Amino acid sequence: MKFLRRIYCKFRTLILYGIIGCLASGLDFTTFTVLVSTVGINYIPANCISVLIGIITSFILNRNYNFKIKDKSRQRFIIFLLVGLSGMLLSNLILWICISKLCINDLIAKLMSICIVVFFQFLVNKNVTFKPSNQHFKI
């Protein structure tokens, strides 16, 4: 039990980011699925809508429960949004390649894009967005 506690303490931020990421990604994927499969929206606009919903959810949960850094919320949200939008562009590129060029099922392509983008966004958000203010660059 002590071993698990040490592992959790050492990787707490990553573990919570993963849990929150799973929740936000689940919401993203569910929204994407409904928009593409039920509503009939093209996969790129559907991805943009679903990713934005995931970004907002993820920011609120990470700010309040994971990183617990609530100062400069507007600036941090702008950075988080920019990171999320860059992730959305990466996701759109992955979807376009997988669906249009490789003929992979859109839902499988979406899952693949989530896996790649989450790792990229964790690194940037941990080291930029939620870095303590005394170590942060000014906007």
Side-chain angles (χ1 to χ4, degrees), residues 40-82:
I41 296 177
N42 178 276
Y43 65 89
I44 295 294
N47 189 56
C48 293
I49 293 166
S50 67
V51 166
L52 285 173
I53 291 169
I55 289 170
I56 293 166
T57 302
S58 182
F59 177 78
I60 292 168
L61 294 175
N62 272 299
R63 182 192 64 190
N64 293 332
Y65 301 106
N66 188 11
F67 299 105
K68 297 181 182 177
I69 296 176
K70 297 180 182 178
D71 66 329
K72 301 180 182 177
S73 289
R74 179 178 287 161
Q75 291 175 335
R76 291 182 191 282
F77 180 72
I78 290 169
I79 295 167
F80 194 86
L81 181 62
L82 291 173

Side-chain angles (χ1 to χ4, degrees), residues 93-105 109 112:
L93 177 63
I94 292 167
L95 289 175
W96 178 75
I97 291 169
C98 289
I99 296 168
S100 296
K101 301 298 178 191
L102 301 176
C103 299
I104 295 174
N105 175 278
M112 291 169 50

